[in-house]
Amino acid sequence: MTKTIHARPYDFPFDPAHTAVVMIDMQRDFLEAGGFGAMLGNDVSRLSPIVPACARLLALARRHGMTVIHTQEAHDPQLADCPPSKKARGGLACGIGDPGPLGRVLVAGEPGAGFVPDLLPQPGDLVLRKPGKGAFYATSLDAILHAQGITHLLIGGVTTEVCVQTTMREANDRGYECLLVTDCAASYFPEFHAAVVEMVVAQGGIVGWAAPLAEVERALS
Ligand code: TIU
């Protein structure tokens, strides 16, 4: 049955049966000290305030029968799926694949690549590992969404202007109707988060829609 989220730039109608919540990269490597985000010089404490809202969004999605997808930016242990340009970027003393406080940085199976404790995938959720910033690049996400009959995405996660925005733009170009859940996404740079929200909804929703979690909850209540 169609529900409606009061969103910017205008209402977002969606059917939960054809909607997925895509939670982008809520991994220890981005939210905790000693991970990839910290290695890049960021203040990682800026991301954790969204965790309770993300947990509410995931619980709401499961309760309403929506598909739940957690993406994970991580490379295989041989870094065979990591372009040399990505490994070299920033000239980090401890970068992708190197041993760090959370295990090998941004490598699948290491502690840092895992999800933060309050947002662990539950039975029935899908976990999608991705080598890039966008969740469609070099993954089976489009095929998965087609197979599940998904046409609409509610998107959260980190960071707003990197993996979240890239994924939302990739999805928009593939014909998915996307809504950014504004308080379920965060950046190390609050001004970048705010700018992304404006970029998404400008020009009649050139990339999609944006609304806070409370409006998603209201639509489903
Ligand atoms: N550095 C940064 O802001 N983000 C990333 O490297 N990956 C994600 O956004 N997941």
mmCIF file of all heavy atoms in Angstrom, residues 128-170:
data_model
loop_
_atom_site.group_PDB
_atom_site.id
_atom_site.type_symbol
_atom_site.label_atom_id
_atom_site.label_comp_id
_atom_site.label_asym_id
_atom_site.label_seq_id
_atom_site.Cartn_x
_atom_site.Cartn_y
_atom_site.Cartn_z
ATOM 1 N N LEU A 128 26.316 -6.040 1.557
ATOM 2 C CA LEU A 128 26.936 -5.885 0.235
ATOM 3 C C LEU A 128 28.307 -5.240 0.390
ATOM 4 O O LEU A 128 28.412 -4.077 0.772
ATOM 5 C CB LEU A 128 26.043 -4.994 -0.636
ATOM 6 C CG LEU A 128 26.505 -4.803 -2.057
ATOM 7 C CD1 LEU A 128 25.985 -5.944 -2.930
ATOM 8 C CD2 LEU A 128 26.040 -3.475 -2.617
ATOM 9 N N ARG A 129 29.340 -5.997 0.080
ATOM 10 C CA ARG A 129 30.697 -5.429 0.107
ATOM 11 C C ARG A 129 30.954 -4.693 -1.198
ATOM 12 O O ARG A 129 30.530 -5.160 -2.258
ATOM 13 C CB ARG A 129 31.721 -6.548 0.306
ATOM 14 C CG ARG A 129 33.161 -6.050 0.273
ATOM 15 C CD ARG A 129 34.061 -6.869 1.173
ATOM 16 N NE ARG A 129 34.380 -8.184 0.652
ATOM 17 C CZ ARG A 129 35.403 -8.439 -0.169
ATOM 18 N NH1 ARG A 129 36.173 -7.464 -0.596
ATOM 19 N NH2 ARG A 129 35.644 -9.677 -0.567
ATOM 20 N N LYS A 130 31.598 -3.560 -1.077
ATOM 21 C CA LYS A 130 31.865 -2.755 -2.273
ATOM 22 C C LYS A 130 33.284 -2.223 -2.222
ATOM 23 O O LYS A 130 33.761 -1.823 -1.161
ATOM 24 C CB LYS A 130 30.853 -1.605 -2.386
ATOM 25 C CG LYS A 130 30.913 -0.590 -1.252
ATOM 26 C CD LYS A 130 29.796 0.421 -1.411
ATOM 27 C CE LYS A 130 29.787 1.470 -0.334
ATOM 28 N NZ LYS A 130 30.958 2.353 -0.299
ATOM 29 N N PRO A 131 33.952 -2.170 -3.375
ATOM 30 C CA PRO A 131 35.331 -1.679 -3.390
ATOM 31 C C PRO A 131 35.445 -0.175 -3.590
ATOM 32 O O PRO A 131 36.508 0.387 -3.397
ATOM 33 C CB PRO A 131 35.932 -2.410 -4.593
ATOM 34 C CG PRO A 131 34.779 -2.560 -5.531
ATOM 35 C CD PRO A 131 33.554 -2.763 -4.662
ATOM 36 N N GLY A 132 34.351 0.471 -3.992
ATOM 37 C CA GLY A 132 34.421 1.901 -4.286
ATOM 38 C C GLY A 132 33.553 2.708 -3.349
ATOM 39 O O GLY A 132 33.084 2.206 -2.309
ATOM 40 N N LYS A 133 33.329 3.931 -3.707
ATOM 41 C CA LYS A 133 32.480 4.800 -2.904
ATOM 42 C C LYS A 133 31.002 4.553 -3.233
ATOM 43 O O LYS A 133 30.178 4.458 -2.342
ATOM 44 C CB LYS A 133 32.855 6.276 -3.148
ATOM 45 C CG LYS A 133 34.334 6.593 -2.869
ATOM 46 C CD LYS A 133 34.776 6.142 -1.489
ATOM 47 C CE LYS A 133 36.233 6.483 -1.225
ATOM 48 N NZ LYS A 133 36.751 5.839 0.002
ATOM 49 N N GLY A 134 30.664 4.433 -4.503
ATOM 50 C CA GLY A 134 29.288 4.140 -4.875
ATOM 51 C C GLY A 134 28.976 2.663 -4.695
ATOM 52 O O GLY A 134 29.817 1.797 -4.976
ATOM 53 N N ALA A 135 27.752 2.367 -4.241
ATOM 54 C CA ALA A 135 27.380 0.971 -3.966
ATOM 55 C C ALA A 135 27.009 0.188 -5.228
ATOM 56 O O ALA A 135 26.830 -1.028 -5.166
ATOM 57 C CB ALA A 135 26.230 0.928 -2.962
ATOM 58 N N PHE A 136 26.892 0.883 -6.372
ATOM 59 C CA PHE A 136 26.574 0.169 -7.620
ATOM 60 C C PHE A 136 27.825 -0.233 -8.385
ATOM 61 O O PHE A 136 27.778 -1.157 -9.198
ATOM 62 C CB PHE A 136 25.669 1.039 -8.514
ATOM 63 C CG PHE A 136 24.270 1.167 -7.999
ATOM 64 C CD1 PHE A 136 23.948 2.126 -7.050
ATOM 65 C CD2 PHE A 136 23.259 0.314 -8.439
ATOM 66 C CE1 PHE A 136 22.647 2.242 -6.547
ATOM 67 C CE2 PHE A 136 21.966 0.415 -7.952
ATOM 68 C CZ PHE A 136 21.658 1.380 -7.007
ATOM 69 N N TYR A 137 28.943 0.454 -8.121
ATOM 70 C CA TYR A 137 30.166 0.184 -8.871
ATOM 71 C C TYR A 137 30.777 -1.162 -8.453
ATOM 72 O O TYR A 137 31.068 -1.376 -7.265
ATOM 73 C CB TYR A 137 31.191 1.311 -8.655
ATOM 74 C CG TYR A 137 32.527 0.948 -9.235
ATOM 75 C CD1 TYR A 137 32.712 0.864 -10.615
ATOM 76 C CD2 TYR A 137 33.601 0.612 -8.413
ATOM 77 C CE1 TYR A 137 33.916 0.475 -11.153
ATOM 78 C CE2 TYR A 137 34.814 0.224 -8.939
ATOM 79 C CZ TYR A 137 34.964 0.149 -10.314
ATOM 80 O OH TYR A 137 36.159 -0.254 -10.845
ATOM 81 N N ALA A 138 30.931 -2.056 -9.428
ATOM 82 C CA ALA A 138 31.597 -3.349 -9.204
ATOM 83 C C ALA A 138 30.894 -4.193 -8.138
ATOM 84 O O ALA A 138 31.539 -4.915 -7.369
ATOM 85 C CB ALA A 138 33.068 -3.151 -8.848
ATOM 86 N N THR A 139 29.555 -4.058 -8.076
ATOM 87 C CA THR A 139 28.758 -4.895 -7.167
ATOM 88 C C THR A 139 27.529 -5.416 -7.923
ATOM 89 O O THR A 139 27.244 -4.982 -9.036
ATOM 90 C CB THR A 139 28.236 -4.109 -5.939
ATOM 91 O OG1 THR A 139 27.168 -3.243 -6.364
ATOM 92 C CG2 THR A 139 29.332 -3.306 -5.269
ATOM 93 N N SER A 140 26.775 -6.283 -7.266
ATOM 94 C CA SER A 140 25.543 -6.797 -7.868
ATOM 95 C C SER A 140 24.306 -6.076 -7.336
ATOM 96 O O SER A 140 23.195 -6.600 -7.423
ATOM 97 C CB SER A 140 25.430 -8.301 -7.610
ATOM 98 O OG SER A 140 25.614 -8.561 -6.238
ATOM 99 N N LEU A 141 24.479 -4.867 -6.815
ATOM 100 C CA LEU A 141 23.345 -4.185 -6.183
ATOM 101 C C LEU A 141 22.175 -3.996 -7.146
ATOM 102 O O LEU A 141 21.017 -4.247 -6.784
ATOM 103 C CB LEU A 141 23.786 -2.836 -5.601
ATOM 104 C CG LEU A 141 22.682 -2.040 -4.886
ATOM 105 C CD1 LEU A 141 22.031 -2.858 -3.775
ATOM 106 C CD2 LEU A 141 23.234 -0.729 -4.331
ATOM 107 N N ASP A 142 22.445 -3.562 -8.378
ATOM 108 C CA ASP A 142 21.344 -3.320 -9.315
ATOM 109 C C ASP A 142 20.582 -4.622 -9.581
ATOM 110 O O ASP A 142 19.341 -4.643 -9.598
ATOM 111 C CB ASP A 142 21.906 -2.736 -10.618
ATOM 112 C CG ASP A 142 20.845 -2.058 -11.473
ATOM 113 O OD1 ASP A 142 19.965 -1.376 -10.914
ATOM 114 O OD2 ASP A 142 20.896 -2.221 -12.698
ATOM 115 N N ALA A 143 21.308 -5.709 -9.769
ATOM 116 C CA ALA A 143 20.656 -7.009 -10.007
ATOM 117 C C ALA A 143 19.849 -7.446 -8.788
ATOM 118 O O ALA A 143 18.733 -7.976 -8.924
ATOM 119 C CB ALA A 143 21.716 -8.065 -10.339
ATOM 120 N N ILE A 144 20.397 -7.209 -7.619
ATOM 121 C CA ILE A 144 19.685 -7.577 -6.378
ATOM 122 C C ILE A 144 18.379 -6.792 -6.270
ATOM 123 O O ILE A 144 17.312 -7.353 -5.992
ATOM 124 C CB ILE A 144 20.583 -7.327 -5.145
ATOM 125 C CG1 ILE A 144 21.743 -8.324 -5.109
ATOM 126 C CG2 ILE A 144 19.770 -7.375 -3.854
ATOM 127 C CD1 ILE A 144 22.811 -7.987 -4.086
ATOM 128 N N LEU A 145 18.448 -5.504 -6.503
ATOM 129 C CA LEU A 145 17.249 -4.664 -6.385
ATOM 130 C C LEU A 145 16.203 -5.056 -7.425
ATOM 131 O O LEU A 145 15.009 -5.137 -7.110
ATOM 132 C CB LEU A 145 17.626 -3.184 -6.512
ATOM 133 C CG LEU A 145 18.541 -2.646 -5.407
ATOM 134 C CD1 LEU A 145 18.963 -1.211 -5.714
ATOM 135 C CD2 LEU A 145 17.871 -2.718 -4.038
ATOM 136 N N HIS A 146 16.649 -5.336 -8.651
ATOM 137 C CA HIS A 146 15.711 -5.795 -9.686
ATOM 138 C C HIS A 146 15.053 -7.103 -9.259
ATOM 139 O O HIS A 146 13.834 -7.287 -9.390
ATOM 140 C CB HIS A 146 16.424 -5.979 -11.029
ATOM 141 C CG HIS A 146 16.485 -4.727 -11.845
ATOM 142 N ND1 HIS A 146 15.387 -4.183 -12.471
ATOM 143 C CD2 HIS A 146 17.515 -3.907 -12.118
ATOM 144 C CE1 HIS A 146 15.737 -3.064 -13.092
ATOM 145 N NE2 HIS A 146 17.032 -2.876 -12.894
ATOM 146 N N ALA A 147 15.853 -8.019 -8.753
ATOM 147 C CA ALA A 147 15.323 -9.332 -8.364
ATOM 148 C C ALA A 147 14.302 -9.217 -7.238
ATOM 149 O O ALA A 147 13.366 -10.017 -7.151
ATOM 150 C CB ALA A 147 16.479 -10.246 -7.936
ATOM 151 N N GLN A 148 14.479 -8.222 -6.378
ATOM 152 C CA GLN A 148 13.568 -8.033 -5.242
ATOM 153 C C GLN A 148 12.385 -7.124 -5.618
ATOM 154 O O GLN A 148 11.535 -6.862 -4.762
ATOM 155 C CB GLN A 148 14.304 -7.390 -4.058
ATOM 156 C CG GLN A 148 15.614 -8.045 -3.648
ATOM 157 C CD GLN A 148 15.401 -9.341 -2.917
ATOM 158 O OE1 GLN A 148 14.493 -9.435 -2.088
ATOM 159 N NE2 GLN A 148 16.191 -10.347 -3.216
ATOM 160 N N GLY A 149 12.371 -6.620 -6.825
ATOM 161 C CA GLY A 149 11.290 -5.716 -7.228
ATOM 162 C C GLY A 149 11.355 -4.364 -6.559
ATOM 163 O O GLY A 149 10.333 -3.689 -6.381
ATOM 164 N N ILE A 150 12.555 -3.943 -6.207
ATOM 165 C CA ILE A 150 12.718 -2.669 -5.491
ATOM 166 C C ILE A 150 12.789 -1.511 -6.486
ATOM 167 O O ILE A 150 13.569 -1.539 -7.444
ATOM 168 C CB ILE A 150 14.015 -2.678 -4.649
ATOM 169 C CG1 ILE A 150 14.000 -3.825 -3.631
ATOM 170 C CG2 ILE A 150 14.234 -1.326 -3.969
ATOM 171 C CD1 ILE A 150 12.945 -3.733 -2.582
ATOM 172 N N THR A 151 11.972 -0.497 -6.234
ATOM 173 C CA THR A 151 11.973 0.705 -7.077
ATOM 174 C C THR A 151 12.343 1.969 -6.289
ATOM 175 O O THR A 151 12.688 2.989 -6.892
ATOM 176 C CB THR A 151 10.573 0.927 -7.685
ATOM 177 O OG1 THR A 151 9.606 0.922 -6.604
ATOM 178 C CG2 THR A 151 10.223 -0.182 -8.668
ATOM 179 N N HIS A 152 12.224 1.901 -4.962
ATOM 180 C CA HIS A 152 12.432 3.071 -4.121
ATOM 181 C C HIS A 152 13.488 2.771 -3.052
ATOM 182 O O HIS A 152 13.491 1.665 -2.481
ATOM 183 C CB HIS A 152 11.129 3.484 -3.429
ATOM 184 C CG HIS A 152 10.129 4.086 -4.369
ATOM 185 N ND1 HIS A 152 9.616 3.409 -5.462
ATOM 186 C CD2 HIS A 152 9.550 5.322 -4.374
ATOM 187 C CE1 HIS A 152 8.751 4.203 -6.096
ATOM 188 N NE2 HIS A 152 8.705 5.362 -5.464
ATOM 189 N N LEU A 153 14.338 3.740 -2.761
ATOM 190 C CA LEU A 153 15.392 3.567 -1.759
ATOM 191 C C LEU A 153 15.301 4.674 -0.708
ATOM 192 O O LEU A 153 15.166 5.858 -1.053
ATOM 193 C CB LEU A 153 16.780 3.634 -2.414
ATOM 194 C CG LEU A 153 17.061 2.682 -3.582
ATOM 195 C CD1 LEU A 153 18.485 2.908 -4.095
ATOM 196 C CD2 LEU A 153 16.866 1.234 -3.174
ATOM 197 N N LEU A 154 15.416 4.271 0.557
ATOM 198 C CA LEU A 154 15.600 5.215 1.658
ATOM 199 C C LEU A 154 17.054 5.052 2.080
ATOM 200 O O LEU A 154 17.470 3.941 2.446
ATOM 201 C CB LEU A 154 14.663 4.903 2.833
ATOM 202 C CG LEU A 154 13.166 4.790 2.502
ATOM 203 C CD1 LEU A 154 12.376 4.494 3.788
ATOM 204 C CD2 LEU A 154 12.651 6.077 1.845
ATOM 205 N N ILE A 155 17.816 6.124 2.012
ATOM 206 C CA ILE A 155 19.265 6.017 2.126
ATOM 207 C C ILE A 155 19.778 6.755 3.357
ATOM 208 O O ILE A 155 19.397 7.897 3.631
ATOM 209 C CB ILE A 155 19.940 6.579 0.860
ATOM 210 C CG1 ILE A 155 19.434 5.827 -0.372
ATOM 211 C CG2 ILE A 155 21.458 6.477 0.955
ATOM 212 C CD1 ILE A 155 19.981 6.345 -1.701
ATOM 213 N N GLY A 156 20.664 6.079 4.106
ATOM 214 C CA GLY A 156 21.359 6.698 5.231
ATOM 215 C C GLY A 156 22.785 6.207 5.260
ATOM 216 O O GLY A 156 23.203 5.408 4.416
ATOM 217 N N GLY A 157 23.545 6.668 6.253
ATOM 218 C CA GLY A 157 24.904 6.167 6.427
ATOM 219 C C GLY A 157 25.952 7.253 6.337
ATOM 220 O O GLY A 157 25.677 8.445 6.487
ATOM 221 N N VAL A 158 27.190 6.814 6.096
ATOM 222 C CA VAL A 158 28.331 7.749 6.077
ATOM 223 C C VAL A 158 29.225 7.474 4.873
ATOM 224 O O VAL A 158 29.258 6.357 4.369
ATOM 225 C CB VAL A 158 29.163 7.613 7.373
ATOM 226 C CG1 VAL A 158 28.351 8.021 8.571
ATOM 227 C CG2 VAL A 158 29.751 6.218 7.568
ATOM 228 N N THR A 159 29.960 8.507 4.457
ATOM 229 C CA THR A 159 29.737 9.895 4.807
ATOM 230 C C THR A 159 28.834 10.518 3.751
ATOM 231 O O THR A 159 28.834 10.086 2.606
ATOM 232 C CB THR A 159 31.064 10.706 4.889
ATOM 233 O OG1 THR A 159 31.741 10.660 3.632
ATOM 234 C CG2 THR A 159 31.989 10.124 5.960
ATOM 235 N N THR A 160 28.122 11.547 4.150
ATOM 236 C CA THR A 160 27.069 12.075 3.280
ATOM 237 C C THR A 160 27.587 12.449 1.894
ATOM 238 O O THR A 160 26.961 12.123 0.884
ATOM 239 C CB THR A 160 26.411 13.304 3.935
ATOM 240 O OG1 THR A 160 26.082 12.994 5.282
ATOM 241 C CG2 THR A 160 25.152 13.693 3.187
ATOM 242 N N GLU A 161 28.743 13.131 1.861
ATOM 243 C CA GLU A 161 29.198 13.655 0.564
ATOM 244 C C GLU A 161 30.088 12.667 -0.191
ATOM 245 O O GLU A 161 30.444 12.928 -1.347
ATOM 246 C CB GLU A 161 29.932 14.995 0.746
ATOM 247 C CG GLU A 161 31.383 14.897 1.200
ATOM 248 C CD GLU A 161 31.548 14.619 2.686
ATOM 249 O OE1 GLU A 161 30.558 14.259 3.358
ATOM 250 O OE2 GLU A 161 32.689 14.750 3.177
ATOM 251 N N VAL A 162 30.450 11.567 0.444
ATOM 252 C CA VAL A 162 31.310 10.604 -0.251
ATOM 253 C C VAL A 162 30.459 9.397 -0.653
ATOM 254 O O VAL A 162 29.839 9.385 -1.714
ATOM 255 C CB VAL A 162 32.558 10.244 0.585
ATOM 256 C CG1 VAL A 162 33.476 9.289 -0.180
ATOM 257 C CG2 VAL A 162 33.350 11.520 0.905
ATOM 258 N N CYS A 163 30.360 8.382 0.201
ATOM 259 C CA CYS A 163 29.686 7.158 -0.256
ATOM 260 C C CYS A 163 28.172 7.294 -0.356
ATOM 261 O O CYS A 163 27.545 6.657 -1.208
ATOM 262 C CB CYS A 163 30.079 6.005 0.646
ATOM 263 S SG CYS A 163 31.829 5.594 0.464
ATOM 264 N N VAL A 164 27.571 8.123 0.508
ATOM 265 C CA VAL A 164 26.119 8.265 0.457
ATOM 266 C C VAL A 164 25.708 9.004 -0.816
ATOM 267 O O VAL A 164 24.849 8.543 -1.578
ATOM 268 C CB VAL A 164 25.592 8.993 1.719
ATOM 269 C CG1 VAL A 164 24.101 9.295 1.588
ATOM 270 C CG2 VAL A 164 25.868 8.150 2.965
ATOM 271 N N GLN A 165 26.353 10.136 -1.053
ATOM 272 C CA GLN A 165 25.970 10.919 -2.242
ATOM 273 C C GLN A 165 26.290 10.153 -3.527
ATOM 274 O O GLN A 165 25.502 10.159 -4.479
ATOM 275 C CB GLN A 165 26.664 12.277 -2.251
ATOM 276 C CG GLN A 165 26.296 13.075 -3.484
ATOM 277 C CD GLN A 165 26.804 14.501 -3.481
ATOM 278 O OE1 GLN A 165 26.090 15.391 -3.921
ATOM 279 N NE2 GLN A 165 28.015 14.727 -3.011
ATOM 280 N N THR A 166 27.458 9.525 -3.578
ATOM 281 C CA THR A 166 27.834 8.780 -4.789
ATOM 282 C C THR A 166 26.801 7.701 -5.078
ATOM 283 O O THR A 166 26.333 7.536 -6.216
ATOM 284 C CB THR A 166 29.235 8.165 -4.637
ATOM 285 O OG1 THR A 166 30.166 9.198 -4.345
ATOM 286 C CG2 THR A 166 29.659 7.445 -5.903
ATOM 287 N N THR A 167 26.406 6.979 -4.044
ATOM 288 C CA THR A 167 25.425 5.902 -4.216
ATOM 289 C C THR A 167 24.071 6.455 -4.653
ATOM 290 O O THR A 167 23.407 5.904 -5.540
ATOM 291 C CB THR A 167 25.269 5.116 -2.898
ATOM 292 O OG1 THR A 167 26.528 4.516 -2.580
ATOM 293 C CG2 THR A 167 24.195 4.041 -3.015
ATOM 294 N N MET A 168 23.673 7.566 -4.056
ATOM 295 C CA MET A 168 22.368 8.144 -4.399
ATOM 296 C C MET A 168 22.359 8.605 -5.856
ATOM 297 O O MET A 168 21.372 8.414 -6.577
ATOM 298 C CB MET A 168 22.062 9.302 -3.447
ATOM 299 C CG MET A 168 20.642 9.800 -3.528
ATOM 300 S SD MET A 168 20.223 10.766 -2.070
ATOM 301 C CE MET A 168 18.553 11.250 -2.493
ATOM 302 N N ARG A 169 23.456 9.177 -6.307
ATOM 303 C CA ARG A 169 23.528 9.616 -7.708
ATOM 304 C C ARG A 169 23.540 8.411 -8.654
ATOM 305 O O ARG A 169 22.878 8.433 -9.707
ATOM 306 C CB ARG A 169 24.765 10.499 -7.922
ATOM 307 C CG ARG A 169 24.635 11.862 -7.267
ATOM 308 C CD ARG A 169 25.918 12.672 -7.399
ATOM 309 N NE ARG A 169 25.791 13.963 -6.738
ATOM 310 C CZ ARG A 169 25.284 15.055 -7.304
ATOM 311 N NH1 ARG A 169 24.851 15.020 -8.546
ATOM 312 N NH2 ARG A 169 25.209 16.189 -6.629
ATOM 313 N N GLU A 170 24.270 7.376 -8.283
ATOM 314 C CA GLU A 170 24.279 6.159 -9.108
ATOM 315 C C GLU A 170 22.870 5.578 -9.208
ATOM 316 O O GLU A 170 22.432 5.136 -10.280
ATOM 317 C CB GLU A 170 25.208 5.107 -8.500
ATOM 318 C CG GLU A 170 26.689 5.373 -8.628
ATOM 319 C CD GLU A 170 27.519 4.260 -7.995
ATOM 320 O OE1 GLU A 170 27.082 3.663 -6.983
ATOM 321 O OE2 GLU A 170 28.603 3.973 -8.501
#
